[in-house]
Amino acid sequence: MAFLDWVLHPTELWAAFWYVMRHAPPDEKTVKLQVSGDMKRCYDFLEMTSRSFAAVIQELNPKLRDAICLFYLILRGLDTIEDDMTIPGAKKRDLLEKFHTVIYEDGWSFKESGPDEKDALLLVEFSVVVSEFKRLPVEFQDIIADITRRMGSGMAKYTRARVETLDDYNEYCHYVAGLVGHGLSRLFSESGLEDKSVGENLDLANSMGLFLQKTNITRDINEDVLDGRCFWPSAIWSKYADSEDTLIAKSNRERGIEGLNEMCTNALSHIPDVMEYLSSIHEPTVFKFCAIPQSMAIATIALCYNNGRVLDDNVKIRKGEALKLIAASTSLDSVKCIFYRYLEEIERKNEPSNPMYEQVRKIVDKAKKDIAGSLKGGPPVDFTKEYLIIIVFFVAIFVFIYQYNTSGL
């Protein structure tokens, strides 16, 4: 199946080839060879925990690179505690609410994670993160500690509270992702690489985080329900099922897909803010760092929309597709073209029988119109349709075979 994916999507194979060539070891310019000791171990943890985006973080401007690496690891540690269902509620809340203080405690470590926590080792060796965090400029430390405090408090609240209303949903996503957007934006401005306004217009930064978090929550419904939790607001899912288990049941598939489409529609509402935020980012490595996750998110929403497989499994975009998006998300116009094409895909999947049809149509039409109006050449035209590349590929093979046979070799 993986081989067939590469054959049917040759531009993704090309993107994968260039990604491997660019990041193939040994590379004397990689961050790992420029740091040593505890910071080197932090970059090891970055690669273990952030997976696809480790390389992008390491390519950030040196003024931001270490700070964002450590910011990520601190929040990953916080998130690992929140996700661990083996930690008793009272103890978990205490850990979450005090986590912003342990990042200053030399030697702090946590060895009580459940056996299934994949990032438990980060907490076991968290002292290396503490050591390097305290080396950062005080201004960076203050921003990271403030976001950690506010995020931990919000997470602690939702160990007791349930996501019931749409306001709850927006608040929860703000705590676990919108605040990340706040912190990053403040770091961008504090570094001097971006204008002060980036760190001040936090509503847009919040929307950046909400778009990513809502995409993940929408996609992860099957895994979450099987784990005994659900982050879809009951204000949405209760329209389509009488329980979370029923929501993903095959016997309720048609209604479950309608609920899925409403969740996708809710996420799509953040696109105008995403475009506005990205238009304010000018430093190339910062732009790429911000743009890649957003490109992944719109691709994921397009995959999830009207797709019953989401209720059965954790669907993901193809690896080659992800590498292609990483390679393409280098400029505002390129990202706008990416969004435009995935909006077209959603448009094709939007059926009149879908209760969300009119709402999705309006969101997509407006977003496409705004994007097309801001591009110099108007609506993007894809001159590299993959079926044309496939035809050229097979024609080239045919010509080669024909010439080989007629040459008498």
Side-chain angles (χ1 to χ4, degrees):
M1 182 63 71
F3 174 76
L4 183 62
D5 281 343
W6 291 118
V7 171
L8 295 177
H9 304 92
T11 57
E12 294 176 12
L13 180 60
W14 184 251
F17 169 76
W18 280 111
Y19 183 88
V20 171
M21 290 297 293
R22 184 176 182 187
H23 298 95
D27 180 0
E28 294 182 358
K29 295 182 180 179
T30 59
V31 172
K32 290 183 118 184
L33 296 183
Q34 296 180 20
V35 297
S36 60
D38 286 348
M39 198 63 220
K40 183 179 185 302
R41 186 59 175 159
C42 288
Y43 280 108
D44 289 340
F45 277 120
L46 177 66
E47 293 201 352
M48 282 188 263
T49 57
S50 69
R51 301 166 186 86
S52 301
F53 301 109
V56 183
I57 292 174
Q58 292 184 42
E59 290 172 1
L60 278 165
N61 188 293
K63 291 183 177 181
L64 277 170
R65 185 189 300 141
D66 288 354
I68 289 181
C69 171
L70 294 166
F71 186 34
Y72 177 89
L73 293 178
I74 288 168
L75 298 187
R76 173 57 62 186
L78 188 68
D79 190 58
T80 300
I81 291 172
E82 185 208 21
D83 284 345
D84 192 339
M85 303 302 288
T86 70
I87 302 175
K91 183 171 184 177
K92 178 184 288 190
R93 284 188 289 275
D94 184 62
L95 284 167
L96 293 172
E97 290 173 344
K98 293 181 178 178
F99 203 78
H100 68 285
T101 65
V102 305
I103 61 179
Y104 290 98
E105 294 181 16
D106 292 334
W108 189 87
S109 174
F110 184 77
K111 301 176 182 178
E112 301 171 46
S113 298
D116 297 327
E117 290 305 315
K118 59 184 180 299
D119 296 327
L121 185 60
L122 170 63
L123 290 173
V124 172
E125 298 187 35
F126 203 76
S127 60
V128 300
V129 178
V130 173
S131 172
E132 291 302 322
F133 168 74
K134 293 174 69 175
R135 295 176 185 270
L136 291 175
V138 173
E139 294 80 8
F140 284 178
Q141 291 183 37
D142 290 345
I143 292 170
I144 294 171
D146 177 53
I147 297 301
T148 305
R149 176 185 60 80
R150 294 162 64 191
M151 185 179 293
S153 177
M155 286 178 170
K157 174 181 177 178
Y158 278 94
T159 62
R160 290 174 172 169
R162 289 176 60 84
V163 180
E164 301 281 357
T165 67
L166 292 180
D167 285 342
D168 292 339
Y169 186 43
N170 286 325
E171 182 182 63
Y172 174 76
C173 291
H174 166 72
Y175 282 136
V176 300
L179 285 172
V180 180
H182 282 203
L184 289 171
S185 297
R186 290 165 62 186
L187 289 172
F188 298 158
S189 293
E190 186 62 42
S191 72
L193 294 174
E194 297 295 344
D195 190 78
K196 287 185 178 180
S197 61
V198 171
E200 294 170 350
N201 196 345
L202 297 181
D203 286 343
L204 295 180
N206 188 62
S207 274
M208 291 279 284
L210 264 59
F211 185 53
L212 301 183
Q213 186 65 23
K214 289 182 176 183
T215 297
N216 290 336
I217 287 174
T218 300
R219 180 198 61 195
D220 293 344
I221 181 61
N222 177 271
E223 179 182 338
D224 285 340
V225 169
L226 293 180
D227 284 344
R229 57 190 178 184
C230 180
F231 296 105
W232 285 23
S234 58
I236 290 180
W237 69 254
S238 62
K239 299 178 190 176
Y240 307 99
D242 56 15
S243 71
E244 290 122 329
D245 290 331
T246 304
L247 182 65
I248 64 173
K250 290 186 183 295
S251 59
N252 189 52
R253 187 47 38 95
E254 184 177 341
R255 294 289 285 163
I257 291 174
E258 290 175 355
L260 171 66
N261 290 342
E262 183 166 349
M263 289 293 293
C264 290
T265 305
N266 185 281
L268 289 172
S269 67
H270 295 286
I271 288 178
D273 281 354
V274 169
M275 292 290 104
E276 186 175 351
Y277 182 92
L278 291 177
S279 70
S280 71
I281 302 298
H282 302 292
E283 203 281 332
T285 67
V286 174
F287 180 86
K288 191 171 182 179
F289 173 78
C290 294
I292 288 173
Q294 304 297 325
S295 295
M296 299 278 196
I298 188 61
T300 301
I301 286 292
L303 175 63
C304 291
Y305 189 76
N306 215 30
N307 182 357
R309 285 179 48 230
V310 175
L311 303 173
D312 294 324
D313 199 3
N314 188 275
V315 302
K316 294 182 179 180
I317 61 176
R318 296 181 304 275
K319 189 170 184 179
E321 185 176 8
L323 294 175
K324 186 176 177 181
L325 291 171
I326 289 172
S329 301
T330 55
S331 71
L332 184 60
D333 279 358
S334 295
V335 173
K336 286 180 177 179
C337 289
I338 289 169
F339 268 71
Y340 192 95
R341 287 168 186 153
Y342 282 112
L343 286 167
E344 285 187 315
E345 184 175 327
I346 293 169
E347 189 173 47
R348 288 192 294 269
K349 296 169 74 174
N350 191 30
E351 300 172 349
S353 58
N354 168 24
M356 289 287 106
Y357 175 78
E358 278 299 325
Q359 194 170 342
V360 171
R361 186 184 65 79
K362 289 178 182 178
I363 291 173
V364 170
D365 283 352
K366 184 178 187 310
K368 286 176 60 182
K369 183 178 179 181
D370 290 345
I371 290 171
S374 65
L375 290 171
K376 294 180 181 179
V381 178
D382 190 355
F383 293 107
T384 59
K385 289 290 186 183
E386 295 194 333
Y387 66 85
L388 293 177
I389 298 175
I390 294 171
I391 292 172
V392 171
F393 176 74
F394 282 108
V395 168
I397 291 177
F398 175 80
V399 170
F400 174 79
I401 293 173
Y402 176 79
Q403 290 180 339
Y404 182 86
N405 288 333
T406 57
S407 66
L409 297 176

